[in-house]
Amino acid sequence: MSNGITPDNAPVETVSQEPLQQTTEVPPAQKDTEGFNVAPPALDEISRAQQEASASELEPSQFKLDIRSEPIHEEGSDSHSALSDMASTLRAQAQAIPTPRKPSANRGRRDVRNTVFVPSPPPPDVPGFGDSPALSQGILNSGRANSLSSEAFQGSDAHSIRSAHSVNSLAQPGVKHAEMTEAGLNASLVETVSAWFSSGQVTKAIVIGELALAHNGPEQTYAHQSETIRLENFPVLEKVAPNPTFVTQVPSRSGEYSLNLGQISRPAVAFKYQVHLEDANLAAHAPVVITPSWKIEPTQASVIVNYAFNPAFVSPAGRSVTLKNVVVMIHLDSTKAQTCQSKPVGNFAKEKSMIYWKLGEISLDGYMEGSQKLLARFGTESEAKPGSVEARWEINGDAANGLGSGLALSRSGMTEEEGGSDPFTDESTAGGLPGSWKEVKLQRKIMSGKYVAA
């Protein structure tokens, strides 16, 4: 009788099992020195990636290399066409990419615009004064100025300051440069200040100038010799017009020019320029303020002209300035003046309805209270309208040092024939070494142009 329980001495039936398809041998567990089992190291993502990279390095390369004993010969036409295509591509890319500007020591400097050097027109006639220092039209009206004809300066002395008979004289009307008699290179600079006043304030101002050069020495020695010059403080200029007869711009160097010494054995104007003025500093170049006060009646017109030192004038001497050859003129408008009384006594030009004073040399002190006065009373044919007051003045000699734009002139240490040009010098740093440029002695003069108060 069986109840489902097998006795201990009963025979055990052996059951045969089929072997597994795949057997994985488990390595024995590692133990530490104390006999404890050590957990197998975990294979993180970084370790797996490193193992895959190592395995890929061991695989055979996919590239097929064929080493030959002789180079492969190419057709000549193919190689030349490939080089031509590459050169054309590089040239097109170079033209499309703008050339970067070279770094300059003067940060924030402006670009000075070059313009055409044009001879000045003849001066207008003003009674009692001879030539009038009128404002130059060569630079200011550059839009209607004609190009300078090269034939006007070849084979003649038309570019000489002393050539007063020529219509192609380069000197501005009324501008007279200082005598330049020292040996070597001489320079004379004249700047003309034009200003318009209203109620004692400068409403408009223009400063133009010209730089004349002369080289004194044997003409046969310097007939074919050139020298490099540089305009110092060049960024103060708004426009510049070099004389193409003997001045040539040095490429890629602002303010540097090549000068033909053989063409300036006599004084000649080398540059005309206009100074850049900020709107906030229009009065910085005007040394004297003119303020007229008019009283108009049916048959007479009275005017009081006050003139004083301009506190906005930039001067190394502080609040004082000495002016020479001072002339003050009063013009009457809308009617003719029959008579004129003045204090101090002036010169009355009846045909022009004007009166003028030749004050000569005057000194203006900005620390003095009040201003100096000129009085005039016109007897008129009918009721007049307030006219204008014009002043003319000059500052020259030592009194002009430090005034004006501050433009100066330097020359290279040696001329080209003396070996002054170094072909291995980096043009971005050329002239930067101490002593490589020498200052040219400059005679400076500041004078008035159109200096009017209404």
Side-chain angles (χ1 to χ4, degrees), residues 306-327:
N306 296 276
Y307 61 96
F309 177 82
N310 180 16
F313 179 61
V314 178
S315 171
R319 297 175 61 87
S320 63
V321 66
T322 299
L323 307 178
K324 296 182 179 180
N325 300 323
V326 179
V327 178

Side-chain angles (χ1 to χ4, degrees), residues 85-166:
D85 294 341
M86 179 62 68
S88 301
T89 303
L90 294 177
R91 191 179 299 108
Q93 293 178 354
Q95 293 176 355
I97 301 175
T99 304
R101 297 187 56 159
K102 297 181 180 180
S104 174
N106 295 326
R107 296 185 178 180
R109 71 184 303 175
R110 301 174 303 101
D111 290 333
V112 181
R113 187 172 65 181
N114 287 296
T115 184
V116 180
F117 189 97
V118 180
S120 302
D125 294 332
V126 178
F129 301 101
D131 292 341
S132 171
L135 191 61
S136 172
Q137 302 298 323
I139 295 179
L140 303 183
N141 298 332
S142 58
R144 56 177 180 163
N146 297 323
S147 299
L148 184 64
S149 174
S150 60
E151 289 82 1
F153 300 97
Q154 293 179 357
S156 70
D157 63 347
H159 64 283
S160 171
I161 294 178
R162 302 173 185 175
S163 179
H165 64 275
S166 175

Side-chain angles (χ1 to χ4, degrees), residues 21-338:
Q21 297 292 333
Q22 182 177 0
T23 303
T24 303
E25 182 178 359
V26 179
Q30 297 181 358
K31 296 183 179 182
D32 57 10
T33 56
E34 296 180 356
F36 295 98
N37 294 336
V38 178
L43 187 62
D44 56 6
E45 295 296 332
I46 298 177
S47 300
R48 184 179 296 107
Q50 291 176 347
Q51 291 182 1
E52 293 177 356
S54 300
S56 63
E57 292 178 358
L58 298 177
E59 295 179 358
S61 175
Q62 300 293 332
F63 298 100
K64 181 179 180 180
L65 301 178
D66 188 7
I67 301 177
R68 298 184 179 183
S69 58
E70 296 181 357
I72 300 175
H73 295 283
E74 297 181 356
E75 296 294 334
S77 58
D78 295 340
S79 61
H80 286 300
S81 60
L83 291 176
S84 299
D85 294 341
M86 179 62 68
S88 301
T89 303
L90 294 177
R91 191 179 299 108
Q93 293 178 354
Q95 293 176 355
I97 301 175
T99 304
R101 297 187 56 159
K102 297 181 180 180
S104 174
N106 295 326
R107 296 185 178 180
R109 71 184 303 175
R110 301 174 303 101
D111 290 333
V112 181
R113 187 172 65 181
N114 287 296
T115 184
V116 180
F117 189 97
V118 180
S120 302
D125 294 332
V126 178
F129 301 101
D131 292 341
S132 171
L135 191 61
S136 172
Q137 302 298 323
I139 295 179
L140 303 183
N141 298 332
S142 58
R144 56 177 180 163
N146 297 323
S147 299
L148 184 64
S149 174
S150 60
E151 289 82 1
F153 300 97
Q154 293 179 357
S156 70
D157 63 347
H159 64 283
S160 171
I161 294 178
R162 302 173 185 175
S163 179
H165 64 275
S166 175
V167 295
N168 292 315
S169 176
L170 302 185
Q172 293 183 9
V175 174
K176 182 179 180 181
H177 284 271
E179 293 292 332
M180 294 177 279
T181 59
E182 295 186 5
L185 186 61
N186 293 253
S188 172
L189 183 145
V190 178
E191 292 185 344
T192 304
V193 179
S194 296
W196 288 260
F197 293 84
S198 179
S199 301
Q201 300 295 324
V202 178
T203 58
K204 181 182 178 181
I206 298 174
V207 179
I208 63 173
E210 63 179 39
L211 178 63
L213 300 176
H215 190 273
N216 299 322
E219 295 187 12
Q220 62 274 15
T221 303
Y222 301 96
H224 303 286
Q225 190 170 332
S226 62
E227 186 172 19
T228 302
I229 59 175
R230 181 172 66 184
L231 296 178
E232 302 293 345
N233 206 16
F234 187 71
V236 303
L237 302 184
E238 181 74 26
K239 305 174 186 177
V240 61
N243 189 338
T245 307
F246 54 91
V247 179
T248 305
Q249 169 78 47
V250 176
S252 304
R253 297 187 188 179
S254 299
E256 294 187 22
Y257 300 87
S258 178
L259 181 65
N260 188 343
L261 299 179
Q263 296 290 329
I264 54 173
S265 57
R266 286 183 284 181
V269 177
F271 298 93
K272 289 185 179 182
Y273 59 87
Q274 180 178 341
V275 179
H276 175 76
L277 299 180
E278 299 290 346
D279 293 339
N281 299 320
L282 291 179
H285 295 268
V288 56
V289 176
I290 304 173
T291 308
S293 299
W294 290 86
K295 181 180 180 182
I296 304 300
E297 300 178 71
T299 57
Q300 67 179 17
S302 303
V303 58
I304 300 176
V305 178
N306 296 276
Y307 61 96
F309 177 82
N310 180 16
F313 179 61
V314 178
S315 171
R319 297 175 61 87
S320 63
V321 66
T322 299
L323 307 178
K324 296 182 179 180
N325 300 323
V326 179
V327 178
V328 179
M329 296 169 285
I330 301 177
H331 301 268
L332 190 64
D333 291 342
S334 302
T335 187
K336 291 184 178 181
Q338 299 294 328

